[in-house]
Amino acid sequence: MNIAAEGSLPKFVYDYINAGNEIILSVTPRMPDSINMAIKPTYQILDDNIYIYALPYFKISKVDRYPQYVPDLVKFIPIVNDKYGWNVYSIYKNGVHIGELPSSFASDDNAIEFIEILDSSGRLRSDKTFDVNSSVTGRITRADAQDIRIGDGSFVDAGSVGMWFQYVFDVKFYKHKAGDLEAIAIKGPNRIETGKNVDCVVTVRNNSTIPYRGEHATLLRIWDGHDHYEINVELSPGEEKDV
């Protein structure tokens, strides 16, 4: 299944692009997510937003933990691998849907632990209070555990349980041109023969707010008079990589 994520560009990047400049964009899944993508992520920039498109493998736990705590469930309930997300429960109060709560894998104090599920009717045994957030209305309902339940009679058949997957991407912005790079240190031979081209290493400084791929070391040509040589600094953008 294709997924799309939307985010706002940092202001300095948006201003740089808006001034007519080009950038190189690197979008990479954070480990270990890089091995869990069917295809490489792609991206699109529209106005001041970036849209990332990816095709991940949705990871399900191989261990079925529900029967240990709720043995009278009729149907199997898949569990999200806790490295990639958590299950989400649809919460009802007096037969009315009031919102959702996450499973314990969300590492949230407001989550429902397996051991807190009393039975297949979705009743909860905990005496704690939950803040139930509705993804539909945005309303938060504060409710005691004994007054709410998972589903309204549907939990026994694996109903009222959803899955929330979370995949993290690192987005890096690089300059496309080398106009703001300045040579600050050069390593090369002390003397060379007149007219002979040699290579040496230059360390450069980026005077722009936008990073530059390959800015720390590159090659340049030098040529000699007798006791000195001129330096012809050829700074060029780093090699574009397939991202």
Side-chain angles (χ1 to χ4, degrees), residues 100-120:
E100 302 81 34
L101 285 173
S103 67
S104 57
F105 291 153
S107 299
D108 189 335
D109 293 337
N110 199 47
I112 297 176
E113 304 283 344
F114 284 108
I115 199 171
E116 293 173 340
I117 302 175
L118 183 62
D119 54 34
S120 61

Side-chain angles (χ1 to χ4, degrees), residues 172-175 177-178 180-187 200-208 210-220 233-239 241:
K172 297 181 180 179
F173 305 90
Y174 297 93
K175 285 179 59 64
K177 296 182 179 180
D180 292 319
L181 298 182
E182 173 188 359
I184 57 175
I186 298 167
K187 270 186 188 177
C200 63
V201 177
V202 59
T203 301
V204 297
R205 175 171 56 211
N206 183 4
N207 295 321
S208 168
I210 307 295
Y212 172 80
R213 177 172 287 160
E215 68 182 40
H216 297 296
T218 186
L219 296 177
L220 57 107
V233 180
E234 298 178 353
L235 298 178
S236 59
E239 178 185 0
K241 295 181 181 179

